[in-house]
Amino acid sequence: MPPLPVAELHVHVEGTLEAELLVALARRNDVALPTYDPVALTERYRHFTSLQSFLDVYYANLAVLRSATDFYDLMAAYLRRAAAAGVRRAEVFFDPQTHLNNGVGFETLVEGFSSAVADAPISADLILCFLRDLGPDAAEQTLRAGLEFREHFIGVGLDSAELGHPPRLFKRVYEIAAAEGLRKVAHAGEEAGPEYVWEALDILGVERIDHGVRSLADPRLVARLRADRVPLTVCPLSNVCLKGVGSLAEHPLKTMLDAGLVVTVNSDDPAYFGGHVDDNFAAVRAALGLSAEDVRQLALNSFEASFAPREDKERWQAEVLSAQIG
Ligand code: HPA
Ligand code: ZN
């Protein structure tokens, strides 16, 4: 049976760097790694205690990306794998600050990522993310530098260490982005509580919440998200790996779906968390006992939540409605 058509709306291209490519790029660019054995490297990827413990490994590994070809290869590998997973549309996060801080030019990373998107077997666009722990001034500087490449990305997001870096600090940079016609999303409610989700909605004016799993603690927030049909891009395997939820069986995805929220399933950082979007679907189906109609709803939600042109979204949703779900 072909995979279910979906949109993937929460994936960090840097988090798709598989151990094999990491080793190949380290050799290509003469960058030292703790080990050149992909199996041993993958083993190191699997033991996280929190978001920060993951981010430390994730940022360190990115030192292997140097040339436009490296960035192209990373993005192209993700898009090929996503196509095989049934992804029709990918809205892919990238973190320019990490690469700029590694001495890579903005034009180098944009050239690599953008060329791979142009050559992609599926519909894809880029979303520029700010590293919230580097603060609002750095975010604004990054956006201004990025605007030289305005046509290469469709929106802005906010990621990295959440606690202590609330959305309200980024009000100004989101206003600048909005004035440029950029779409707005933000990570909120992954480790921090509902107040971060409220700020993302009311102060930043975001159109989607990335993660948002902790929204359920606030019934008024749930009512707001439902009434406004604000999509939540949930990443089940990520939440388990980073200890946001105790196990997949305890994941709130089904509760969120039953509460009428526009939830979607995504991979976040598939090289680190044990699977791509198809693997995330399979895992939650098994652990939460989702029905075929739940799964269909999640796929329909993903296209509703996407920033693709309406005619494309409707075509993909028609495909979902006629798909066999095994
Ligand atoms: N949360 C915050 N920042 C990130 C993540 C995440 O899950 N993945 C990559 N950067
Ligand atoms: Zn994320």
Side-chain angles (χ1 to χ4, degrees):
M1 199 173 303
L4 185 67
V6 291
E8 178 149 58
L9 307 175
H10 186 158
V11 58
H12 303 261
V13 67
E14 291 89 353
T16 72
L17 178 55
E18 298 288 347
E20 291 74 14
L21 182 57
L22 174 62
V23 168
L25 293 175
R27 292 197 197 284
R28 186 189 288 177
N29 294 320
D30 207 12
V31 174
L33 288 181
T35 161
Y36 292 81
D37 172 9
V39 176
L41 274 174
T42 305
E43 184 51 32
R44 294 166 76 101
Y45 282 3
R46 291 289 152 83
H47 306 287
F48 305 118
T49 52
S50 63
L51 173 58
Q52 188 62 56
S53 71
F54 154 70
L55 291 170
D56 292 343
V57 178
Y58 163 90
Y59 291 131
N61 283 342
L62 298 176
V64 301
L65 291 161
R66 305 299 315 168
S67 71
T69 306
D70 303 338
F71 290 92
Y72 181 99
D73 291 348
L74 176 63
M75 182 67 79
Y78 162 68
L79 291 167
R80 265 196 309 274
R81 175 63 180 81
V87 174
R88 299 290 189 273
R89 163 80 181 164
E91 296 175 12
V92 185
F93 298 141
F94 70 111
D95 288 340
Q97 284 161 285
T98 312
H99 313 300
L100 299 172
N101 291 342
N102 285 340
V104 174
F106 219 131
E107 65 289 351
T108 302
L109 65 106
V110 168
E111 182 192 331
F113 286 154
S114 239
S115 311
V117 164
D119 293 346
I122 58 173
S123 167
D125 274 304
L126 297 171
I127 295 178
L128 184 161
C129 281
F130 308 116
L131 302 186
R132 63 203 308 157
D133 46 338
L134 300 186
D137 292 344
E140 188 173 328
Q141 216 181 342
T142 306
L143 178 58
R144 293 201 187 281
L147 289 176
E148 193 181 328
F149 310 96
R150 169 66 187 84
E151 69 277 21
H152 295 283
F153 60 102
I154 62 162
V156 295
L158 189 61
D159 65 6
S160 200
E162 185 178 14
L163 289 166
H165 307 285
R168 65 173 181 277
L169 302 177
F170 298 86
K171 180 172 191 283
R172 207 176 119 87
V173 71
Y174 272 68
E175 283 169 356
I176 299 168
E180 292 292 336
L182 289 159
R183 313 302 296 255
K184 297 184 289 182
V185 301
H187 284 52
E190 179 184 16
E191 282 194 334
E195 65 282 7
Y196 277 46
V197 178
W198 281 113
E199 286 185 16
L201 293 172
D202 290 339
I203 299 179
L204 304 186
V206 302
E207 300 165 79
R208 293 197 298 244
I209 295 289
D210 296 313
H211 292 297
V213 286
R214 300 200 52 197
S215 303
L216 286 176
D218 180 348
R220 230 170 37 86
L221 177 57
V222 173
R224 163 73 182 280
L225 294 166
R226 179 175 45 231
D228 288 355
R229 294 196 71 71
V230 179
L232 299 146
T233 63
V234 173
C235 306
L237 290 175
S238 165
N239 296 149
V240 173
C241 277
L242 301 187
K243 315 287 188 231
V245 303
S247 69
L248 267 185
E250 297 165 75
H251 198 283
L253 179 78
K254 171 72 173 150
T255 309
M256 296 168 90
L257 196 57
D258 290 346
L261 298 178
V262 185
V263 279
T264 68
V265 169
N266 308 268
S267 68
D268 207 3
D269 300 284
Y272 294 89
F273 302 146
H276 278 262
V277 66
D278 49 349
D279 304 308
N280 273 269
F281 265 92
V284 286
R285 278 194 80 174
L288 300 174
L290 300 186
S291 68
E293 289 320 303
D294 290 334
V295 171
R296 197 185 305 277
Q297 188 62 54
L298 289 165
L300 290 171
N301 288 352
S302 75
F303 293 116
E304 175 180 340
S306 150
F307 296 143
R310 202 180 52 172
E311 21 344 322
D312 290 335
K313 290 162 50 140
E314 288 174 354
R315 180 164 41 82
W316 292 319
Q317 287 187 316
E319 246 193 286
V320 172
L321 289 171
S322 62
Q324 280 255 72
I325 298 177

